[in-house]
Amino acid sequence: VRFSELMKFMRTKMNRHPGSIITSPTLASNIRTITVLKAFVKAHIASQHDLLRYFGSKGLPESCEEARCVLESQTLVYRALSVIQREAKEIDRRMLEDMDTMRKSGEILKNLSHLVDEAAESGAINQQQAHALLSPLEDVHRAIRRGLHAPSYGITRDAELQTTLKLRRGSDTSEDD
């Protein structure tokens, strides 16, 4: 709580247009929960595959203990997915779609950056040309990362999105002065 208040204060002081930042503790909590549980799910699925690869036979468990470990892990994964679904229902669908689009755009920008790097390494373009191509890509990628990071603190930057999220002043939402 103290950290989020500090972040809110700092953003207010650094912001050139007071009142343009809208915060929602509920949004922050939902986004963080989803992020943590997505990492949990990915880790469990990878661990299940690793367990069966190292101890199983042809991707199948060899003993009842191995099978039980995998089933317990799968149960936890399904519980986590259920919580993710419940949390996602509380977030505006448009915001989730926008975040997914930003995430995919970030991946595309990474691939483009790698392509430019490979072209420079192979001699197809020189370093100056590579820099001229990479600089705007890096600027856009930074903006995308900021856009993806802000909701985890409950921060949204435009008033139109506030209406979309159906945030009420005074209850869940507070405007920075």
Side-chain angles (χ1 to χ4, degrees):
V1 176
R2 289 181 185 162
F3 180 72
S4 63
E5 290 174 7
L6 174 66
M7 290 299 296
K8 183 176 168 181
F9 174 77
M10 294 298 292
R11 289 184 191 276
T12 301
K13 294 300 175 192
M14 294 183 339
N15 189 19
R16 292 186 183 136
H17 307 287
S20 66
I21 293 181
I22 302 160
T23 62
S24 167
T26 304
L27 174 63
S29 175
N30 292 344
I31 295 292
R32 287 184 195 148
T33 301
I34 289 171
T35 302
V36 167
L37 289 177
K38 281 176 66 176
F40 175 87
V41 166
K42 287 179 184 179
H44 266 266
I45 290 172
S47 296
Q48 292 168 15
H49 289 290
D50 289 346
L51 180 109
L52 294 176
R53 185 177 57 198
Y54 295 127
F55 300 108
S57 174
K58 297 180 183 175
L60 298 172
E62 285 189 349
S63 68
C64 62
E65 290 84 8
E66 292 170 7
R68 183 175 178 175
C69 284
V70 172
L71 286 174
E72 286 179 7
S73 179
Q74 286 178 344
T75 301
L76 293 173
V77 165
Y78 286 120
R79 284 183 186 169
L81 290 172
S82 172
V83 173
I84 288 172
Q85 182 182 19
R86 188 172 54 241
E87 293 288 322
K89 282 182 183 178
E90 295 181 22
I91 300 173
D92 182 66
R93 186 167 196 72
R94 179 173 164 222
M95 177 173 240
L96 290 173
E97 289 171 354
D98 289 348
M99 289 178 70
D100 189 50
T101 300
M102 283 192 288
R103 202 171 282 114
K104 288 177 182 175
S105 298
E107 291 172 13
I108 291 169
L109 284 171
K110 278 184 186 177
N111 291 338
L112 284 172
S113 295
H114 290 303
L115 179 68
V116 171
D117 287 339
E118 289 174 7
E121 287 175 10
S122 69
I125 59 175
N126 63 34
Q127 289 299 323
Q128 185 178 8
Q129 293 167 326
H131 179 72
L133 291 170
L134 287 174
S135 184
L137 291 178
E138 290 169 357
D139 293 341
V140 172
H141 195 251
R142 251 189 310 278
I144 287 173
R145 283 196 318 263
R146 273 194 312 271
L148 283 172
H149 192 64
S152 67
Y153 288 104
I155 296 169
T156 170
R157 296 192 185 278
D158 61 318
E160 189 270 329
L161 193 50
Q162 178 189 21
T163 305
T164 303
L165 294 173
K166 299 175 183 123
L167 302 176
R168 295 183 312 265
R169 290 187 200 271
S171 63
D172 181 4
T173 306
S174 64
E175 248 183 57
D176 295 334
D177 293 354

